[in-house]
Amino acid sequence: MTASESRSSLQQAIFNRRTLICIFTGFSSGLPLYILAQLVPAWMRTEGIGLKEIGLFTLINLPYTWKFLWAPLMDRFSLPFLGLRRGWMLLTQIMLLLSIAALPWLDLNNNLLIITWLAAAVAFFSASQDVVLDAYRREILPDTELGFGNSIHINAYRIAGLIPGSLSLILADHFDWQTVFAVTAAFMLLGIALTLCIDEPEHRYTPHTLRSAVTEPFQEFFNRNGVRQATLILAFIFLYKLGDNMATALSTPFYIDLGFSLSEIGIIAKNAALWPMVFGSIAGGIIMIRLGINRSLWVFGVVQMLSILGFALLAHVGANLWLLGLVIGFEYLGVGLGTAAMVAFIARTTDHRYTATQFALFTAVAALPRSLANAATGYIVEATGWETFFYLCTLLAVPGMLLLVVMAPWQEAPQAEEARA
């Protein structure tokens, strides 16, 4: 392939209708999550709800972990008129629009339990929307575009957080909460517009019964790979970002312990994290078009490991604003790169016939380290200290890298990798 042909191929992979669709799917997917994570706690606190209740309120996010349990329904049953994927997309998006707007219409102090159940319904519809959006994205993206398309989706997902996390909070200083939530919910209309404008992808196979929709995705995965290989794939999905997740689980307490003020953390650390992460995931998607998913997993995995050592250096040196910005920027560059590669690997691992169920299962496995890290890291830091803790996180990244020898051989060229997938 000549240089001009290579550039043309790269441009075609980036500037196409599929990329635009990924922007809308990411925004529509991220908005409900950030409403629950940022806007609802702010509303509850201003209405006088205690911190303990607000902390327990985060349990409503459990549907995001267990979404694979009802994903087979979305592989099995088509809703009328719009088809298998678009029907479920429209249903979940309409329910999100209504349930988000309805949250502040009950008195919070007298109806906290009812509002909790309503918020749990928002989480359920949001997790369900994620299942079908992930499946749709997998079905429209060719393997060469999985990295870039999913990185665009992830960035739009994060940018959606600016609506409930910034715009809605500003509106709350000028309008009542009913108006604020109604305006915020109205942004779901972008997702509804997407659903009405896109085409239903071609489905090669639809399970004939609900039982087959539940059992066949798991049987196919283990039959296709064999029990040993399938177990290694699940282990790799779990381990690849384990060290990275642990290193960032208690990042804010770490900065405080070093002696940085809250203002310094807010201005430097948070900004140094967001934009390198956005740049990293976009750059990672473009790099994957050229290198392929296998080699990108190697390169990005090395960046992840080195970035963890930056935290160890910061723990050794102490409070230094310039070093803080550099370390955080490099770490979250690695987060963006690694996340883009892992989501692309997960998408490639799914079978087109069972995208909803398998994608939901694999992303649930990938999310497990975050839960485990949040539960265990505090105990480890108290026993070892910060610097030793970050060396341990670096070591915990090694098993995932070693599994790359089997999961994503470097010597397999992108063309052969695509053909095999």
Side-chain angles (χ1 to χ4, degrees):
M1 181 181 293
T2 65
S4 61
E5 290 175 337
S6 178
R7 285 194 299 271
S8 176
S9 177
L10 180 63
Q11 290 173 355
Q12 291 174 5
I14 295 175
F15 302 106
N16 57 55
R17 188 168 182 263
R18 294 182 294 275
T19 298
L20 183 62
I21 290 173
C22 289
I23 293 174
F24 280 87
T25 63
F27 185 89
S28 184
S29 180
L31 183 68
L33 174 66
Y34 286 107
I35 288 172
L36 294 174
Q38 298 177 338
L39 184 60
V40 171
W43 166 51
M44 295 177 72
R45 191 56 177 160
T46 58
E47 295 295 310
I49 302 299
L51 292 176
K52 291 181 180 179
E53 289 82 0
I54 295 175
L56 291 173
F57 200 79
T58 59
L59 292 174
I60 63 170
N61 291 319
L62 285 175
Y64 291 102
T65 304
W66 299 102
K67 59 187 178 182
F68 66 91
L69 293 177
W70 60 89
L73 293 171
M74 299 178 173
D75 271 334
R76 168 64 184 91
F77 297 108
S78 295
L79 298 181
F81 308 118
L82 293 179
L84 183 65
R85 301 302 179 212
R86 294 171 67 226
W88 284 109
M89 287 166 64
L90 184 62
L91 175 63
T92 55
Q93 288 162 352
I94 290 175
M95 296 307 296
L96 282 168
L97 174 66
L98 297 175
S99 56
I100 292 169
L103 277 171
W105 286 92
L106 293 170
D107 181 68
L108 191 55
N109 290 284
N110 296 321
N111 299 280
L112 183 58
L113 181 60
I114 298 176
I115 291 173
T116 300
W117 280 107
L118 183 56
V122 173
F124 173 77
F125 294 128
S126 176
S128 301
Q129 181 194 220
D130 287 351
V131 170
V132 68
L133 288 180
D134 288 341
Y136 183 87
R137 205 169 60 255
R138 175 63 183 102
E139 290 166 351
I140 66 169
L141 291 173
D143 286 349
T144 52
E145 295 177 22
L146 285 176
F148 182 73
N150 281 292
S151 69
I152 292 296
H153 171 89
I154 292 167
N155 278 315
Y157 188 102
R158 293 174 180 139
I159 291 172
L162 295 175
I163 302 302
S166 180
L167 174 63
S168 300
L169 297 181
I170 294 172
L171 290 175
D173 274 338
H174 305 281
F175 302 96
D176 57 46
W177 283 107
Q178 287 88 348
T179 302
V180 171
F181 273 84
V183 171
T184 308
F187 280 91
M188 287 303 306
L189 292 171
L190 293 174
I192 293 173
L194 167 73
T195 301
L196 296 176
C197 292
I198 58 178
D199 298 322
E200 179 73 10
E202 180 183 353
H203 302 290
R204 304 174 186 174
Y205 171 80
T206 301
H208 299 297
T209 65
L210 181 57
R211 179 178 180 179
S212 63
V214 173
T215 59
E216 286 180 7
F218 299 94
Q219 291 173 348
E220 187 281 330
F221 173 63
F222 282 96
N223 290 337
R224 168 165 44 102
N225 298 285
V227 174
R228 179 179 177 275
Q229 183 74 1
T231 303
L232 287 175
I233 290 173
L234 294 175
F236 171 69
I237 292 173
F238 178 85
L239 291 170
Y240 183 70
K241 291 185 66 64
L242 176 62
D244 190 58
N245 283 323
M246 288 188 67
T248 57
L250 294 176
S251 56
T252 299
F254 168 57
Y255 308 144
I256 293 173
D257 286 356
L258 285 184
F260 293 106
S261 69
L262 293 177
S263 296
E264 290 170 335
I265 295 171
I267 295 172
I268 297 178
K270 300 308 179 184
N271 283 292
L274 175 62
W275 300 115
M277 185 163 54
V278 170
F279 171 79
S281 57
I282 293 178
I286 296 174
I287 291 170
M288 274 187 279
I289 296 174
R290 289 294 186 89
L291 287 184
I293 296 173
N294 284 12
R295 293 178 179 179
S296 297
L297 284 166
W298 284 87
V299 174
F300 300 165
V302 171
V303 174
Q304 281 186 157
M305 290 183 64
L306 293 177
S307 67
I308 297 172
L309 291 174
F311 279 119
L313 176 63
L314 184 61
H316 182 77
V317 171
N320 181 294
L321 288 175
W322 284 102
L323 183 59
L324 174 67
L326 290 174
V327 167
I328 297 302
F330 186 51
E331 163 63 20
Y332 280 91
L333 173 65
V335 169
L337 291 171
T339 300
M342 175 50 64
V343 174
F345 176 83
I346 288 173
R348 190 184 68 184
T349 304
T350 60
D351 186 287
H352 273 277
R353 295 169 295 175
Y354 313 105
T355 47
T357 302
Q358 290 186 350
F359 209 117
L361 173 65
F362 297 148
T363 52
V365 173
L368 281 176
R370 289 199 296 271
S371 301
L372 296 177
N374 288 337
T377 48
Y379 294 96
I380 298 174
V381 171
E382 288 188 355
T384 64
W386 285 110
E387 185 174 352
T388 304
F389 167 71
F390 290 122
Y391 291 135
L392 176 62
C393 290
T394 305
L395 290 176
L396 288 173
V398 172
M401 293 296 297
L402 293 177
L403 283 173
L404 284 172
V405 176
V406 180
M407 296 296 100
W410 174 270
Q411 65 271 19
E412 188 172 47
Q415 294 81 3
E417 171 191 329
E418 181 183 354
R420 178 174 59 83

